[in-house]
Amino acid sequence: MRTKPSVTPMVFEITPDAPIRSKGIDYLHLGPIHLRTYLRYQSFLTPAENDRLGCAVLAGLRAAGPFLDIALHNAAGHATSAPKFIDHLAAAVPAVPFLGYLYFEVLSEYLMLHSTAPETKSYAQAGELNNWLCKRLAFTAVKGMDQLFDLALFNPCHHRLIQLIEGIEPALAPGVAEYVRRRLSHLCARTMLHPSQDTASFTFQGTDLGTLQQAAPGLVGQMVFREMRYLPATRSYTTASRKQKRWKCGTTGIMREFPPLSTEPFPKGRWASVLSIPEQK
């Protein structure tokens, strides 16, 4: 709340009747659900809107195709130069904004897991993660991010990345590039491709959209989800798609065993209410 003092938070305390396992939702893996929802309800859009959406997604994939193939090449065990990898990544984010989300989440993981700063140690004593590290990263990397948090704008090049990490915790700067190369490559394969695909042989370059929907539903779904924000979608599509996503999360195990009112909170971060119980009134 330091950057938004005019906002009043509302806090709910939920006391379960018995101990429950901690569980979480990783939004990076929701791409297939986004795609299935769009394919089911695309008739709610006009032919022109569907064409515009398909062209935008395919154009982004073609522009970022060379980097996406580099990422899969690395994920298959063929390491490339970490600084060049990050520069290619930074250049690809405007074409595929989902890469900005992956980039930031990898850096957040790196900072919170490897920090040895006194502040981090004090949070650790309380059993908490120091996510002020990644907030400082975002706020410094992108002007205005402290007011409108949009990771589609997060794309520091290698030189800028080193400067940012040095400004947060200098000791972590030497290892950050190689960590991003290894971890982000793995996440690209995990979040973008269908499990049946061979990471070592698949290529994004020159592949048509229909094939990509089958082979890389995670990535296509994430791109469709974000491109929909720029379409004047009808209210009926928005309502139907939200209901479908909540139902799909509830029936595929993503939301099973959660308290009925909300997801589990992330440590010192964001959480969201998701009602996904059919008989809930």
Side-chain angles (χ1 to χ4, degrees):
M1 306 309 296
R2 297 180 190 176
T3 62
K4 297 180 180 178
S6 61
V7 176
T8 301
M10 181 178 293
V11 179
F12 295 89
E13 181 177 357
I14 299 175
T15 305
D17 296 331
I20 58 174
R21 291 188 302 123
S22 296
K23 301 187 72 174
I25 295 175
D26 189 344
Y27 73 95
L28 300 177
H29 292 271
L30 295 181
I33 291 179
H34 292 318
L35 179 59
R36 286 196 295 269
T37 301
Y38 164 70
L39 293 175
R40 180 168 182 172
Y41 293 107
Q42 66 183 128
S43 61
F44 284 66
L45 304 179
T46 67
E49 288 171 336
N50 275 301
D51 288 344
R52 175 183 168 186
L53 185 64
C55 288
V57 170
L58 189 56
L61 289 170
R62 285 176 174 170
F67 169 75
L68 294 173
D69 285 348
I70 290 173
L72 294 185
H73 188 72
N74 277 267
H78 306 287
T80 58
S81 164
K84 289 183 179 179
F85 178 91
I86 292 174
D87 284 340
H88 288 310
L89 166 63
V93 170
V96 178
F98 178 59
L99 289 170
Y101 292 73
L102 287 176
Y103 193 3
F104 176 76
E105 295 297 349
V106 166
L107 289 172
S108 296
E109 179 182 88
Y110 178 74
L111 289 170
M112 289 191 286
L113 292 180
H114 294 84
S115 174
T116 57
E119 179 186 49
T120 302
K121 292 179 179 179
S122 66
Y123 283 125
Q125 289 295 320
E128 298 183 358
L129 295 171
N130 179 15
N131 78 347
W132 262 110
L133 296 166
C134 39
K135 289 181 179 179
R136 292 190 191 108
L137 171 68
F139 297 164
T140 306
V142 181
K143 184 178 180 181
M145 189 77 95
D146 58 338
Q147 298 299 314
L148 179 61
F149 203 85
D150 184 1
L151 292 176
L153 304 176
F154 186 84
N155 66 330
C157 66
H158 176 259
H159 177 71
R160 179 58 175 154
L161 173 63
I162 299 302
Q163 289 182 327
L164 290 167
I165 302 302
E166 285 179 341
I168 295 171
E169 192 165 336
L172 297 181
V176 65
E178 181 60 20
Y179 187 92
V180 170
R181 183 196 67 78
R182 290 188 295 105
R183 184 66 173 142
L184 190 136
S185 295
H186 170 73
L187 282 180
C188 281
R190 283 280 290 112
T191 63
M192 296 179 183
L193 297 185
H194 188 275
S196 65
Q197 294 302 309
D198 178 16
T199 302
S201 61
F202 184 79
T203 179
F204 281 95
Q205 298 181 77
T207 305
D208 64 86
L209 186 57
T211 301
L212 288 170
Q213 288 180 351
Q214 298 297 319
L219 178 56
V220 176
Q222 294 283 3
M223 293 187 69
V224 166
F225 174 67
R226 282 161 182 80
E227 286 296 331
M228 284 297 299
R229 298 177 179 180
Y230 305 109
L231 285 177
T234 62
R235 183 173 182 176
S236 57
Y237 174 87
T238 302
T239 301
S241 65
R242 287 176 178 172
K243 287 182 178 179
Q244 171 69 9
K245 288 175 185 177
R246 288 197 295 268
W247 177 83
K248 199 66 180 177
C249 286
T251 57
T252 56
I254 296 177
M255 286 293 297
R256 288 176 186 167
E257 301 177 25
F258 276 82
L261 289 180
S262 69
T263 68
E264 287 291 328
F266 290 97
K268 297 183 73 62
R270 303 183 301 267
W271 66 279
S273 293
V274 182
L275 288 175
S276 139
I277 304 173
E279 63 272 17
Q280 185 78 26
K281 301 296 183 182

